[in-house]
Amino acid sequence: MIVVMQPEATETEIEGVTEALTRHGLQPSVSRGAECTVIGAIGDVDAVGDLSVFSILSGVDKLVRISAPYKLVSSREGHRRSTIRVGPALIGGTNFAFIAGPCAVETPEQAAEACAAAAKAGATVLRGDVYKHRTSPYAFQGLGAAGLEILAEQKARFGLPVVAEVLHPSEVDAMVDVVDIFRIGARNMQNFDLLRACSLTGKAVMLKRGLSATIEEWLLAAEYAASSGNLNIILCERGIRTFEPATRNTLDLSAVSVVQQKSHLPVIVDPSHGTGSRSLVAPMTLAAVAGGCDGIMIDVHPHPELARCDGPQALLPDELQTLAERMWQLAAWMGREVPASVASAGHDLG
Ligand code: PEP
Ligand code: MN
């Protein structure tokens, strides 16, 4: 950390800061410039707790933090990226994860058709929510335990791992036997009790970016899961709240590269929730793959016009298939390994 002093700071004020740093176990080193004095502080700044204690000292202009406040999820030496194994699926590293399925499990038939479309398109993981976090309390809230049974059937049918949203720590026990990846939704990104409860199961955790979360807040939330001893964390960019109403959210594709520079965790993109619009899913999927994301998650529905949740953004099975073929080609071109099941399905991946 560096403490920048005000240009008019006196020697007594500079001394006051060096003493305060020393009292907190840090080693100060004063550099006097023509305009102002800066004081470097070396040591365990995290042990201090709240660094803003230094900003209220007399003569201090600002504090500049050098090391990232997150440790376990921070990028590793040589930028080695982590790979997470979820059943037969590999996520991160040079792999490419394709997650698809219904936004919500609505009926056995709808889930079966949506999951069949996902599997045919080469999904490595199926999605299908049974508990929904809706903006309105009157909107469809998911089928709960009955939905979990339907999801378990689809998981067994295709032999693919499944991801589903968990809303509350009390749901973890009921879900743990079916779900392979616990998804923490945008509205729960900083629900640290929920993050801890999921991460203690040892299963993978997908952490969506909060509606208005900065990348640092997102990575610090991931650090909560990591600090419970589970590094099987997948980050998911799903758009953020901005002033622009043309899309449901503003999909922040630059976040993918920023996160990959700052963290070793895989980062995937959800263009369905990121845009809220079926016509934007294909272009944003391809843009995200070209931008180097570690995977994509897409909503598919056999009858979007009848969907109880998020119909306008769901692709039809045929649309998913067409997009997936282009997506896998692009992923291969980007140097990603394509699962054998996709390569053998005859897509031209040359
Ligand atoms: C979802 O993926 O179904 C979902 C609710 O997304 P988010 O938490 O990003 O809004
Ligand atoms: Mn949804």
Side-chain angles (χ1 to χ4, degrees):
M1 177 184 65
I2 292 172
V3 182
V4 181
M5 301 301 292
Q6 291 164 357
E8 63 278 8
T10 63
E11 279 306 313
T12 315
E13 287 170 332
I14 292 170
E15 236 170 76
V17 173
T18 58
E19 273 167 22
L21 291 169
T22 310
R23 269 201 306 276
H24 279 91
L26 301 172
Q27 201 187 319
S29 126
V30 179
S31 311
R32 289 180 169 78
E35 301 252 317
C36 69
T37 295
V38 297
I39 307 171
I42 298 164
D44 186 2
V45 286
D46 290 319
V48 176
D50 187 358
L51 288 179
S52 60
V53 290
F54 300 116
S55 64
I56 53 172
L57 295 174
S58 177
V60 170
D61 180 15
K62 61 181 174 195
L63 306 178
V64 182
R65 221 194 134 114
I66 312 245
S67 61
Y70 35 85
K71 305 280 168 229
L72 300 169
V73 306
S74 187
S75 55
R76 294 171 170 160
E77 243 177 68
H79 281 277
R80 276 182 304 109
R81 309 204 46 75
S82 55
T83 300
I84 295 169
R85 176 178 285 283
V86 185
L90 292 173
I91 305 174
T94 55
N95 306 282
F96 189 81
F98 181 33
I99 304 168
C103 175
V105 171
E106 299 171 13
T107 65
E109 297 75 23
Q110 168 260 8
E113 279 188 66
C115 291
K120 183 167 172 237
T124 50
V125 178
L126 298 174
R127 69 160 286 159
D129 285 353
V130 299
Y131 300 106
K132 293 304 297 177
H133 230 176
R134 306 302 296 284
T135 301
S136 162
Y138 308 114
F140 175 58
Q141 306 284 315
L143 295 184
L148 212 47
E149 275 181 37
I150 299 173
L151 190 63
E153 276 164 27
Q154 297 310 313
K155 170 176 161 146
R157 181 177 167 211
F158 295 105
L160 289 173
V162 295
V163 56
E165 180 162 359
V166 56
L167 303 183
H168 193 268
S170 63
E171 293 160 2
V172 170
D173 279 353
M175 294 174 77
V176 75
D177 289 336
V178 175
V179 164
D180 302 282
I181 306 174
F182 282 102
R183 200 181 76 242
I184 310 282
R187 289 154 196 80
N188 263 325
M189 185 198 83
Q190 286 182 314
N191 185 337
F192 301 131
D193 290 339
L194 181 61
L195 273 162
R196 238 187 251 110
C198 292
S199 114
L200 287 174
T201 66
K203 295 235 163 158
V205 175
M206 181 189 290
L207 181 61
K208 283 201 150 188
R209 182 175 181 183
L211 307 175
S212 302
T214 63
I215 290 172
E216 182 165 302
E217 288 162 344
W218 189 18
L219 290 173
L220 278 168
E223 186 82 8
Y224 267 89
S227 61
S228 311
N230 184 346
L231 271 171
N232 298 318
I233 305 164
I234 302 150
L235 299 166
C236 179
E237 164 61 41
R238 47 77 73 205
I240 46 174
R241 173 83 45 109
T242 69
F243 55 82
E244 177 54 69
T247 46
R248 179 176 177 178
N249 297 296
T250 296
L251 187 62
D252 182 7
L253 288 183
S254 63
V256 172
S257 300
V258 175
V259 165
Q260 287 174 341
Q261 283 167 15
K262 291 182 181 293
S263 170
H264 58 85
L265 297 177
V267 55
I268 68 156
V269 172
D270 175 352
S272 303
H273 293 81
T275 64
S277 168
R278 180 188 305 159
S279 65
L280 300 175
V281 171
M284 289 304 99
T285 294
L286 299 174
V289 178
C293 72
D294 295 296
I296 288 284
M297 181 162 76
I298 295 181
D299 286 7
V300 56
H301 197 292
H303 305 285
E305 70 287 0
L306 302 178
R308 299 185 72 186
C309 181
D310 289 349
Q313 70 194 31
L315 295 188
L316 286 158
D318 283 354
E319 292 172 327
L320 184 73
Q321 185 66 28
T322 307
L323 171 57
E325 288 176 17
R326 296 171 70 200
M327 180 197 75
W328 282 121
Q329 284 179 24
L330 185 55
W333 190 82
M334 291 291 294
R336 297 288 177 155
E337 276 154 48
V338 170
S341 54
V342 174
S344 64
H347 303 320
D348 176 12
L349 300 174

mmCIF file of all heavy atoms in Angstrom, residues 103 127 129 132 165 183 185-187 208 238 248 270 273 297 310, ligand 1:
data_model
loop_
_atom_site.group_PDB
_atom_site.id
_atom_site.type_symbol
_atom_site.label_atom_id
_atom_site.label_comp_id
_atom_site.label_asym_id
_atom_site.label_seq_id
_atom_site.Cartn_x
_atom_site.Cartn_y
_atom_site.Cartn_z
ATOM 1 N N CYS A 103 -34.313 -22.388 -18.674
ATOM 2 C CA CYS A 103 -34.074 -21.479 -17.547
ATOM 3 C C CYS A 103 -34.626 -22.149 -16.301
ATOM 4 O O CYS A 103 -33.926 -22.319 -15.315
ATOM 5 C CB CYS A 103 -34.764 -20.140 -17.804
ATOM 6 S SG CYS A 103 -34.623 -19.032 -16.419
ATOM 7 N N ARG A 127 -28.454 -27.205 -17.678
ATOM 8 C CA ARG A 127 -29.007 -26.325 -16.656
ATOM 9 C C ARG A 127 -30.512 -26.560 -16.559
ATOM 10 O O ARG A 127 -31.133 -27.033 -17.514
ATOM 11 C CB ARG A 127 -28.724 -24.847 -16.916
ATOM 12 C CG ARG A 127 -29.426 -24.218 -18.102
ATOM 13 C CD ARG A 127 -29.487 -22.686 -17.990
ATOM 14 N NE ARG A 127 -30.475 -22.262 -16.993
ATOM 15 C CZ ARG A 127 -30.463 -21.082 -16.400
ATOM 16 N NH1 ARG A 127 -29.534 -20.209 -16.680
ATOM 17 N NH2 ARG A 127 -31.410 -20.781 -15.510
ATOM 18 N N ASP A 129 -33.464 -24.815 -13.602
ATOM 19 C CA ASP A 129 -33.664 -24.356 -12.221
ATOM 20 C C ASP A 129 -34.960 -24.886 -11.630
ATOM 21 O O ASP A 129 -35.976 -25.015 -12.330
ATOM 22 C CB ASP A 129 -33.689 -22.820 -12.189
ATOM 23 C CG ASP A 129 -32.297 -22.239 -12.352
ATOM 24 O OD1 ASP A 129 -31.327 -23.019 -12.349
ATOM 25 O OD2 ASP A 129 -32.187 -21.007 -12.472
ATOM 26 N N LYS A 132 -36.566 -20.448 -8.226
ATOM 27 C CA LYS A 132 -36.307 -19.242 -9.016
ATOM 28 C C LYS A 132 -36.366 -17.997 -8.137
ATOM 29 O O LYS A 132 -37.235 -17.877 -7.280
ATOM 30 C CB LYS A 132 -37.347 -19.099 -10.146
ATOM 31 C CG LYS A 132 -37.265 -20.146 -11.218
ATOM 32 C CD LYS A 132 -35.902 -20.257 -11.903
ATOM 33 C CE LYS A 132 -35.447 -19.035 -12.664
ATOM 34 N NZ LYS A 132 -34.057 -19.255 -13.215
ATOM 35 N N GLU A 165 -29.771 -23.255 -9.710
ATOM 36 C CA GLU A 165 -29.611 -22.176 -8.729
ATOM 37 C C GLU A 165 -30.080 -22.613 -7.349
ATOM 38 O O GLU A 165 -31.089 -23.306 -7.207
ATOM 39 C CB GLU A 165 -30.397 -20.928 -9.178
ATOM 40 C CG GLU A 165 -30.257 -19.790 -8.167
ATOM 41 C CD GLU A 165 -30.616 -18.417 -8.699
ATOM 42 O OE1 GLU A 165 -30.980 -18.298 -9.887
ATOM 43 O OE2 GLU A 165 -30.525 -17.456 -7.910
ATOM 44 N N ARG A 183 -25.435 -23.073 -8.397
ATOM 45 C CA ARG A 183 -25.305 -21.727 -8.971
ATOM 46 C C ARG A 183 -25.823 -20.686 -7.983
ATOM 47 O O ARG A 183 -26.927 -20.799 -7.465
ATOM 48 C CB ARG A 183 -26.099 -21.609 -10.288
ATOM 49 C CG ARG A 183 -25.597 -20.441 -11.131
ATOM 50 C CD ARG A 183 -26.357 -20.287 -12.418
ATOM 51 N NE ARG A 183 -27.645 -19.703 -12.177
ATOM 52 C CZ ARG A 183 -28.798 -20.302 -12.428
ATOM 53 N NH1 ARG A 183 -28.835 -21.492 -12.978
ATOM 54 N NH2 ARG A 183 -29.926 -19.697 -12.146
ATOM 55 N N GLY A 185 -27.023 -17.061 -7.766
ATOM 56 C CA GLY A 185 -27.542 -16.075 -8.713
ATOM 57 C C GLY A 185 -27.031 -14.676 -8.429
ATOM 58 O O GLY A 185 -26.480 -14.386 -7.352
ATOM 59 N N ALA A 186 -27.247 -13.808 -9.419
ATOM 60 C CA ALA A 186 -26.765 -12.430 -9.319
ATOM 61 C C ALA A 186 -27.263 -11.754 -8.039
ATOM 62 O O ALA A 186 -26.525 -11.027 -7.377
ATOM 63 C CB ALA A 186 -27.231 -11.655 -10.545
ATOM 64 N N ARG A 187 -28.524 -12.028 -7.682
ATOM 65 C CA ARG A 187 -29.106 -11.342 -6.518
ATOM 66 C C ARG A 187 -28.535 -11.850 -5.197
ATOM 67 O O ARG A 187 -28.772 -11.280 -4.138
ATOM 68 C CB ARG A 187 -30.633 -11.491 -6.532
ATOM 69 C CG ARG A 187 -31.268 -10.677 -7.645
ATOM 70 C CD ARG A 187 -32.599 -11.235 -8.111
ATOM 71 N NE ARG A 187 -32.969 -10.648 -9.395
ATOM 72 C CZ ARG A 187 -32.485 -11.054 -10.571
ATOM 73 N NH1 ARG A 187 -31.626 -12.054 -10.633
ATOM 74 N NH2 ARG A 187 -32.832 -10.464 -11.686
ATOM 75 N N LYS A 208 -22.491 -16.056 -10.111
ATOM 76 C CA LYS A 208 -22.842 -15.023 -11.088
ATOM 77 C C LYS A 208 -22.439 -13.651 -10.560
ATOM 78 O O LYS A 208 -22.424 -13.421 -9.339
ATOM 79 C CB LYS A 208 -24.331 -15.088 -11.360
ATOM 80 C CG LYS A 208 -24.686 -16.254 -12.288
ATOM 81 C CD LYS A 208 -26.000 -16.036 -12.950
ATOM 82 C CE LYS A 208 -26.070 -16.681 -14.300
ATOM 83 N NZ LYS A 208 -27.291 -16.300 -15.006
ATOM 84 N N ARG A 238 -23.005 -12.023 -16.410
ATOM 85 C CA ARG A 238 -24.398 -12.061 -16.847
ATOM 86 C C ARG A 238 -24.975 -10.666 -17.061
ATOM 87 O O ARG A 238 -26.173 -10.470 -17.061
ATOM 88 C CB ARG A 238 -25.247 -12.870 -15.872
ATOM 89 C CG ARG A 238 -25.049 -12.544 -14.444
ATOM 90 C CD ARG A 238 -25.718 -11.271 -13.960
ATOM 91 N NE ARG A 238 -27.153 -11.434 -13.853
ATOM 92 C CZ ARG A 238 -28.026 -10.447 -13.923
ATOM 93 N NH1 ARG A 238 -27.606 -9.189 -14.070
ATOM 94 N NH2 ARG A 238 -29.311 -10.671 -13.805
ATOM 95 N N ARG A 248 -31.785 -6.128 -21.469
ATOM 96 C CA ARG A 248 -32.175 -6.387 -20.073
ATOM 97 C C ARG A 248 -31.058 -5.985 -19.108
ATOM 98 O O ARG A 248 -31.290 -5.411 -18.052
ATOM 99 C CB ARG A 248 -32.474 -7.881 -19.956
ATOM 100 C CG ARG A 248 -32.867 -8.350 -18.595
ATOM 101 C CD ARG A 248 -33.233 -9.828 -18.637
ATOM 102 N NE ARG A 248 -33.563 -10.328 -17.322
ATOM 103 C CZ ARG A 248 -33.956 -11.560 -17.072
ATOM 104 N NH1 ARG A 248 -34.087 -12.432 -18.058
ATOM 105 N NH2 ARG A 248 -34.231 -11.939 -15.861
ATOM 106 N N ASP A 270 -23.092 -15.669 -19.817
ATOM 107 C CA ASP A 270 -24.509 -16.021 -19.987
ATOM 108 C C ASP A 270 -25.152 -14.945 -20.870
ATOM 109 O O ASP A 270 -25.628 -13.920 -20.373
ATOM 110 C CB ASP A 270 -25.171 -16.072 -18.601
ATOM 111 C CG ASP A 270 -26.671 -16.306 -18.670
ATOM 112 O OD1 ASP A 270 -27.250 -16.276 -19.769
ATOM 113 O OD2 ASP A 270 -27.277 -16.522 -17.601
ATOM 114 N N HIS A 273 -29.321 -14.266 -20.103
ATOM 115 C CA HIS A 273 -29.688 -13.294 -19.075
ATOM 116 C C HIS A 273 -28.963 -11.965 -19.297
ATOM 117 O O HIS A 273 -29.440 -10.920 -18.882
ATOM 118 C CB HIS A 273 -29.406 -13.859 -17.678
ATOM 119 C CG HIS A 273 -30.306 -15.007 -17.362
ATOM 120 N ND1 HIS A 273 -30.052 -16.281 -17.815
ATOM 121 C CD2 HIS A 273 -31.483 -15.072 -16.700
ATOM 122 C CE1 HIS A 273 -31.033 -17.080 -17.426
ATOM 123 N NE2 HIS A 273 -31.907 -16.379 -16.752
ATOM 124 N N MET A 297 -23.281 -20.148 -21.278
ATOM 125 C CA MET A 297 -24.503 -20.771 -20.746
ATOM 126 C C MET A 297 -25.711 -20.154 -21.442
ATOM 127 O O MET A 297 -25.873 -18.924 -21.464
ATOM 128 C CB MET A 297 -24.601 -20.547 -19.232
ATOM 129 C CG MET A 297 -25.836 -21.200 -18.642
ATOM 130 S SD MET A 297 -25.732 -21.400 -16.854
ATOM 131 C CE MET A 297 -26.039 -19.731 -16.318
ATOM 132 N N ASP A 310 -38.706 -16.202 -18.432
ATOM 133 C CA ASP A 310 -37.661 -15.798 -19.384
ATOM 134 C C ASP A 310 -37.831 -16.325 -20.818
ATOM 135 O O ASP A 310 -36.829 -16.559 -21.511
ATOM 136 C CB ASP A 310 -36.276 -16.200 -18.850
ATOM 137 C CG ASP A 310 -35.861 -15.338 -17.658
ATOM 138 O OD1 ASP A 310 -36.532 -14.320 -17.398
ATOM 139 O OD2 ASP A 310 -34.874 -15.678 -16.997
HETATM 140 C C1 PEP B 1 -30.629 -17.561 -14.266
HETATM 141 O O1 PEP B 1 -29.540 -17.888 -14.759
HETATM 142 O O2 PEP B 1 -31.667 -18.204 -14.418
HETATM 143 C C2 PEP B 1 -30.729 -16.334 -13.463
HETATM 144 C C3 PEP B 1 -31.748 -16.111 -12.645
HETATM 145 O O3 PEP B 1 -29.723 -15.475 -13.661
HETATM 146 P P1 PEP B 1 -29.225 -14.199 -12.808
HETATM 147 O O4 PEP B 1 -29.004 -14.686 -11.417
HETATM 148 O O5 PEP B 1 -27.977 -13.864 -13.535
HETATM 149 O O6 PEP B 1 -30.279 -13.152 -12.930
#
